[in-house]
Amino acid sequence: MSASSSAPPTGKPRFAPKPPWLKVRAPGGESYGRLKETFRELDLHTVCEEARCPNVGECWSEGTATVMLLGDVCTRGCRFCAVTTGDPRGAVDVREPEHVARAIARLGLQYVVMTMVDRDDLLDGGASHVARTVTRLRELRPDILIETLLGDFGGHLSYVDTTVDAKPHVWAHNIEVVRRLQRRIRDVRCSYEQSLAVLRRVKERDPERITKSSIMVGIGETDDEVEETLADLRGAGVDLVTIGQYLRPTPKHVAVDRFVTPETFLRFENKAKELGFAFCASAPLVRSSYKAAEVFVKSVLHPGDPDAAKKVLSERLAEAQAAAARIDGQATQANGEAPRTVSELAARAAVSLIPASSLVRRAPSEV
């Protein structure tokens, strides 16, 4: 073998080694194992697992999880996101609002984040589907806190209204990156101005609704641009913001530009406080739904009182587990026996759900 053939390849490696502050312990523990097993039994898949979130163990132990609605194929193709891009061709599981609501109701969660893929193939972008899921879960578990992490619905503000009127406790939409990087990183159908517009609309529709957004860093921005984005989000009335390190999911996605230091994240957090955000979670491993229950309790229920917030979190988790046990017991007693699957439960109520055909966006020639 020649010397040249054995030489190491030149150039940057596909994945640069991560700094020590990005290393986390593998998830585990009783709560994590119990929830993971229950999610599989109920055929309920979480974004926490599919996105390999580094905080899954922390969040699950605190009774928080994120579920995906409307399938796993997104009509948009952003350069940072590992979700499959394609054309779902109007496919919608009309049983899903009932299915997901009943499944979540039976879990000992105190806070759930409902997120979605973009569905530009649907007449309302999936807004009514999300709203029905939120409404049904609120009926089954009035104690549970609900956050919706949604798309921009193509800028159609009436669709935004549909989801706001379902009254999730937090309405979230991620601006993702700073203004200059929008066209390079996000799908062409997204825009900085459109994201700000939908966040602003939520406050116009319901001034009491808590709004939230998230920024990725380490993807090509400057620190000044991050602070500018924080100011723009606050100007749109956003209450809560998270800032976290971008990590490249595959070699096909945009490369990491830099690993932002914990000190810089702290500076971003202090800037957010100066701007008047109710709460800012800013750290390398923070994600948009990071410790969502804790963020809500600390910022909304007990701002400035960490001891009271900790007590409330513990009490709410116990209440959630008791409520879930009651729901599970009721399901077992219904009609003398428990349905064999959650889908069977959903089928009993499916007659009240709208047909998928009414959600499909058709070309004018097909109407």
Side-chain angles (χ1 to χ4, degrees), residues 254-280:
V254 66
V256 174
D257 177 71
R258 60 170 175 158
F259 290 114
V260 179
T261 64
E263 292 76 18
T264 301
F265 277 107
L266 180 59
R267 190 164 68 248
F268 292 151
E269 180 180 336
N270 290 333
K271 180 63 177 180
K273 290 177 181 177
E274 290 176 14
L275 289 168
F277 285 94
F279 195 90
C280 173

Side-chain angles (χ1 to χ4, degrees), residues 181-315:
L181 297 177
Q182 294 279 319
R183 284 285 60 78
R184 184 165 75 87
I185 303 300
R186 299 176 79 191
D187 186 276
V188 69
R189 286 162 287 187
C190 308
S191 80
Y192 192 83
E193 292 73 19
Q194 190 161 279
S195 288
L196 290 175
V198 298
L199 287 161
R200 191 177 295 112
R201 175 65 173 204
V202 177
K203 283 297 188 182
E204 293 171 353
R205 183 73 174 183
D206 185 351
E208 299 304 314
R209 201 59 39 204
I210 304 298
T211 54
K212 180 178 176 181
S213 194
S214 184
I215 308 169
M216 290 183 296
V217 295
I219 201 168
E221 75 297 321
T222 67
D223 290 356
D224 287 344
E225 287 175 317
V226 175
E227 295 188 2
E228 177 189 14
T229 303
L230 285 169
D232 289 340
L233 288 171
R234 188 68 195 116
V238 174
D239 301 293
L240 312 175
V241 66
T242 63
I243 309 171
Q245 171 71 50
Y246 165 69
L247 296 175
R248 190 183 195 184
T250 76
K252 295 180 181 179
H253 293 83
V254 66
V256 174
D257 177 71
R258 60 170 175 158
F259 290 114
V260 179
T261 64
E263 292 76 18
T264 301
F265 277 107
L266 180 59
R267 190 164 68 248
F268 292 151
E269 180 180 336
N270 290 333
K271 180 63 177 180
K273 290 177 181 177
E274 290 176 14
L275 289 168
F277 285 94
F279 195 90
C280 173
S282 177
L285 291 172
V286 162
R287 296 296 178 261
S288 58
S289 300
Y290 175 70
K291 296 172 76 70
E294 181 177 321
V295 169
F296 183 88
V297 170
K298 284 185 174 179
S299 61
V300 179
L301 300 184
H302 286 283
D305 192 341
D307 291 336
K310 184 177 180 180
K311 181 181 179 182
V312 167
L313 282 166
S314 177
E315 291 172 348

Side-chain angles (χ1 to χ4, degrees), residues 79-265:
R79 295 190 64 208
F80 65 87
C81 182
V83 173
T84 301
T85 301
D87 180 5
R89 302 179 66 83
V92 175
D93 180 359
V94 296
R95 303 168 302 172
E96 186 177 57
E98 185 75 16
H99 177 160
V100 170
R102 286 183 180 269
I104 293 173
R106 295 173 62 184
L107 298 173
L109 298 175
Q110 63 166 320
Y111 195 109
V112 64
V113 181
M114 294 183 184
T115 189
M116 60 178 286
V117 289
D118 282 297
R119 291 298 302 268
D120 300 293
D121 59 319
L122 301 181
L123 283 174
D124 67 352
S128 59
H129 191 91
V130 172
R132 286 196 304 278
T133 311
V134 173
T135 300
R136 185 61 177 133
L137 180 55
R138 287 179 67 101
E139 292 171 352
L140 293 170
R141 282 279 305 278
D143 65 290
I144 201 168
L145 296 170
I146 303 171
E147 175 180 322
T148 53
L149 174 57
L150 307 178
D152 59 20
F153 299 104
H156 295 286
L157 300 183
S158 61
Y159 304 160
V160 174
D161 292 347
T162 298
T163 62
V164 175
D165 292 348
K167 299 191 180 303
H169 296 84
V170 177
W171 198 99
H173 168 73
N174 292 342
I175 202 162
E176 307 293 9
V177 292
V178 302
R179 185 191 299 270
R180 178 176 56 84
L181 297 177
Q182 294 279 319
R183 284 285 60 78
R184 184 165 75 87
I185 303 300
R186 299 176 79 191
D187 186 276
V188 69
R189 286 162 287 187
C190 308
S191 80
Y192 192 83
E193 292 73 19
Q194 190 161 279
S195 288
L196 290 175
V198 298
L199 287 161
R200 191 177 295 112
R201 175 65 173 204
V202 177
K203 283 297 188 182
E204 293 171 353
R205 183 73 174 183
D206 185 351
E208 299 304 314
R209 201 59 39 204
I210 304 298
T211 54
K212 180 178 176 181
S213 194
S214 184
I215 308 169
M216 290 183 296
V217 295
I219 201 168
E221 75 297 321
T222 67
D223 290 356
D224 287 344
E225 287 175 317
V226 175
E227 295 188 2
E228 177 189 14
T229 303
L230 285 169
D232 289 340
L233 288 171
R234 188 68 195 116
V238 174
D239 301 293
L240 312 175
V241 66
T242 63
I243 309 171
Q245 171 71 50
Y246 165 69
L247 296 175
R248 190 183 195 184
T250 76
K252 295 180 181 179
H253 293 83
V254 66
V256 174
D257 177 71
R258 60 170 175 158
F259 290 114
V260 179
T261 64
E263 292 76 18
T264 301
F265 277 107

Side-chain angles (χ1 to χ4, degrees), residues 333-354:
Q333 295 172 10
N335 299 321
E337 63 177 5
R340 289 185 295 275
T341 67
V342 176
S343 294
E344 185 178 334
L345 257 176
R348 295 177 182 174
V351 291
S352 65
L353 303 178
I354 65 173

